[in-house]
Amino acid sequence: MSKSALITGITGQDGSYLAEHLVSLGYEVHGLIRGQNNPRAAIVRRIVPELHLIEGDLHDQSSLISALEATHPDEVYNLGAISFVALSFKQAINTGEITGLGVTRMLDAIRVVNPKIRFYQASSSEMFGKVRETPQTELTPFHPRSPYGVAKVYGHYITVNYRESYGMFAVSGILFNHESPRRGLEFVSRKITDGVARIKLGLETELRLGNIDSLRDWGFAGDYVRAMHLMLQQEEPDDFVVATGETHSVRELLELAFGQVGLRWQDHVVVDERFLRPADVAMLVGDAGKARSVLGWQPTVSFPELVARMVESDLRAVAADLTANSAATPR
Ligand code: NAP
């Protein structure tokens, strides 16, 4: 009999990649969608036509219980969150509610409806923040530097707590940055590749950014969703770091992205203090040795290839917009 999964955060970057992956494995896939007439529903439906959408919100416990009762999932992937670090500083309480307490609401809904459902929590390398050691592993202590990171630490520990208290199969995947052409435009990688496309096609001349010295461990989202699924197929529940093991600066990303279209980033990038954060994370790099040995997982897309794919995709998207707009303009 085929398995069934419920994914929160279905309209986000990882939601669509994970849904595609699970559909390819024969799963019946349900996605939790929030709000009235969410405009992103149509986009994710186009990407994954086999997907079933069900209404619900991580702020609303009874909607989660109803979604579980209606969909009977074997596995729940909790990807829903306020996930943009900069926004978490502006909406710290809302971030605690959704990114933090939302995890407890879902875990408790599972405990009540069917504690045999396997649960994946989307934890983050931002929990390491001001890092205590390099590279970071499952045993590295946390020191988050943003309301987002703090809320994710809560989500991580409540997942471990429900596993230990109620014997639930609940796991936390500590994923380092992962990007793709589907990354939201607010995130620095996509802001850069979209900016490069706009500058190359003559729509803009400059790109304003915050700290370009940050170092991150960047992988491809399509690779990372395979690790989420593998974590729920193990005999025993456990937590895993998922990372490439390489770190690159925002500068290197700029070099590659502008270089791909024959431009120099120094001619277009303006460092704008408005984008600096009250507290920042200087450098992250993960050790995914446990995921490699236990899950048999490894990344397949290199950093240069990832940036190249994102720039190509944004060049196509911006050019298509230009063509559509010029066709719509009356002569
Ligand atoms: P994303 O693109 O920002 O997507 C976030 C999702 O959360 C959206 O689908 C959004 O839906 C949903 N959401 C927001 N508020 C909600 C609420 N109240 N109830 C239910 N859903 C809500 O994030 P992502 O990059 O796919 O990441 C997926 C998860 O992994 C997130 O939890 C993120 O924090 C975590 N993570 C990501 C990375 C990374 O590098 N991408 C690394 C580590 C961990 P709407 O359409 O309704 O806004």
Side-chain angles (χ1 to χ4, degrees), residues 11-14 34 57-58 79 81 83 148 152 175 178 183:
T11 57
Q13 169 188 255
D14 292 4
R34 77 174 169 135
D57 195 309
L58 287 166
L79 312 185
S83 70
Y148 168 75
K152 283 288 182 188
L175 271 51
H178 44 280
R183 188 64 146 146

Side-chain angles (χ1 to χ4, degrees), residues 51-173:
L51 181 68
H52 307 276
L53 291 178
I54 178 140
E55 285 173 7
D57 195 309
L58 287 166
H59 214 124
D60 187 302
Q61 176 85 12
S62 65
S63 74
L64 303 179
I65 292 175
S66 303
L68 291 174
E69 285 175 345
T71 58
H72 302 290
D74 300 291
E75 298 169 6
V76 168
Y77 295 85
N78 186 40
L79 312 185
I82 291 183
S83 70
F84 186 41
V85 170
L87 179 64
S88 80
F89 280 104
K90 293 180 181 144
Q91 297 189 12
I93 292 170
N94 210 18
T95 302
E97 275 291 349
I98 307 304
T99 308
L101 272 180
V103 187
T104 313
R105 290 195 190 95
M106 183 54 97
L107 279 166
D108 218 53
I110 291 174
R111 185 180 67 80
V112 169
V113 173
N114 175 8
K116 292 208 159 40
I117 295 170
R118 295 188 168 203
F119 175 80
Y120 172 86
Q121 167 57 14
S123 294
S124 162
S125 57
E126 292 289 321
M127 301 192 302
F128 297 119
K130 194 172 177 181
V131 297
R132 306 278 180 88
E133 61 178 3
T134 295
Q136 295 85 51
T137 73
E138 293 79 7
L139 300 176
T140 303
F142 300 135
H143 186 146
R145 298 268 285 166
S146 62
Y148 168 75
V150 172
K152 283 288 182 188
V153 170
Y154 172 85
H156 170 84
Y157 280 125
I158 200 70
T159 301
V160 173
N161 182 258
Y162 268 59
R163 174 167 83 220
E164 293 176 353
S165 306
Y166 303 113
M168 287 167 55
F169 196 109
V171 307
S172 168

Side-chain angles (χ1 to χ4, degrees), residues 167-197:
M168 287 167 55
F169 196 109
V171 307
S172 168
I174 306 173
L175 271 51
F176 282 62
N177 283 61
H178 44 280
E179 318 295 315
S180 73
R182 298 182 198 164
R183 188 64 146 146
L185 282 165
E186 65 276 35
F187 295 93
V188 70
S189 59
R190 183 75 198 293
K191 186 175 172 181
I192 291 172
T193 59
D194 174 70
V196 164

